[in-house]
Amino acid sequence: NNGDCTSVGNEVTACQQTYGKKVLLSLGGAAGNYGLASASQANDVADEIWNKFLGGNGAIRPFGPSAIFDGVDFDIETPNQVTGASREPQAAFYATLATRLRSHFSSSNRNYYVSASPQCVYPDAMLGPDGTKTGTLLTAAQVDWANIQFYNNGFDRCDGCNIFGSSYATRLGTWASWAASKQSSFLIGVPGADQARFADSSSYCQGGYVSLQTLESALSQACSSYANFGGLMIFDVSAEEVSGGQTYIGSATSYTHGLSCGRNPL
């Protein structure tokens, strides 16, 4: 869609210039029909993203000529809906897309980033890393950091895929090892509200919400255990809790910024 989204673009610019925030364009999601049919198409999509949303000079800039995103996040959660192909070739196409974006990044003096948002189950079904599937994004592409989703994995996986699950420490350690092997960082991803606050409580978060006290304990442990711990990701600001006049994200962010450890991925 090439519609006029300049009002959103102005907000992107304000976040960057007024508040010093990095704003990334998110690709994918849990719903919708999307996918890549070939490596050639992946390269074409990367070129279009660069020219429309990042540092390129495309004639069409949906968010306005002055809105330049700081990179791209891959939140690929569905099998290929374009060709009906198996997940393996599609995974390789996303790595191709990311690598093509990197080639554009190298032509600019500005810093751009590639991140990914895998589910906590390792390896992620769509993003990897997985040695049995050639070329998955988290195997073949350079990723600056990964937002590990300890939520939204279905009730059958709640025990292992949230912070209070019995296998949380093991899963976190596995992702930390991956990040170290790639000289990357990992962020702990949590929902910002109880699932009842989401519009579709049947599909969002599903057991991943934890109290601030529990979250702070998990962050402190990750901080002291892993040199490549990069911080916290919260989904999403539109449904976050407000307690005692302060938002969940505000309290959690303040606590995270106060930690003296880890690796800043920016």
Side-chain angles (χ1 to χ4, degrees):
N1 188 324
N2 294 319
D4 184 0
C5 301
T6 52
S7 60
V8 178
N10 292 336
E11 294 175 351
V12 169
T13 302
C15 284
Q16 294 166 323
Q17 297 181 356
T18 304
Y19 300 103
K21 305 298 182 182
K22 303 296 183 185
V23 183
L24 275 65
L25 185 71
S26 181
L27 303 182
N33 295 326
Y34 63 87
L36 296 168
S38 65
S40 176
Q41 186 184 62
N43 285 326
D44 290 344
V45 171
D47 293 345
E48 187 167 1
I49 290 172
W50 173 254
N51 287 315
K52 283 187 175 181
F53 306 108
L54 302 178
N57 296 310
I60 297 175
R61 302 282 298 191
F63 291 96
S66 61
I68 301 174
F69 287 82
D70 294 296
V72 170
D73 176 71
F74 287 80
D75 180 28
I76 310 303
E77 299 186 33
T78 67
N80 196 333
Q81 299 296 315
V82 173
T83 65
S86 67
R87 294 180 177 189
E88 181 172 345
Q90 183 193 212
F93 300 153
Y94 283 111
T96 300
L97 194 160
T99 300
R100 178 74 161 210
L101 283 173
R102 289 282 186 193
S103 71
H104 286 300
F105 295 173
S106 65
S107 69
S108 174
N109 293 325
R110 177 170 175 161
N111 290 328
Y112 292 95
Y113 305 94
V114 171
S115 65
S117 297
Q119 305 293 316
C120 79
V121 178
Y122 185 100
D124 181 87
M126 296 306 303
L127 297 173
D130 190 343
T132 66
K133 298 177 182 178
T134 57
T136 57
L137 179 80
L138 295 181
T139 302
Q142 179 187 350
V143 175
D144 294 295
W145 70 87
N147 308 297
I148 313 303
Q149 297 185 39
F150 285 97
Y151 60 93
N152 196 22
N153 289 283
F155 287 105
D156 59 325
R157 293 176 174 171
C158 279
D159 182 57
C161 269
N162 58 42
I163 286 178
F164 51 79
S166 59
S167 61
Y168 162 75
T170 300
R171 294 188 187 279
L172 186 69
T174 301
W175 280 111
S177 296
W178 165 82
S181 72
K182 299 288 286 187
Q183 295 184 318
S184 182
S185 300
F186 71 92
L187 279 67
I188 294 175
V190 298
D194 188 292
Q195 66 183 45
R197 291 178 60 85
F198 285 83
D200 182 4
S201 61
S202 66
S203 61
Y204 285 140
C205 301
Q206 297 186 340
Y209 179 75
V210 296
S211 68
L212 275 172
Q213 183 178 11
T214 299
L215 177 60
E216 290 172 358
S217 176
L219 294 171
S220 178
Q221 290 175 5
C223 172
S224 61
S225 300
Y226 303 110
N228 54 355
F229 168 65
L232 173 68
M233 180 272 280
I234 297 179
F235 177 85
D236 71 7
V237 69
S238 67
E240 65 176 346
E241 298 278 6
V242 178
S243 178
Q246 187 163 13
T247 64
Y248 187 93
I249 190 172
S251 298
T253 300
S254 295
Y255 182 85
T256 305
H257 286 169
L259 296 172
S260 299
C261 61
R263 178 179 182 271
N264 188 338
L266 300 179

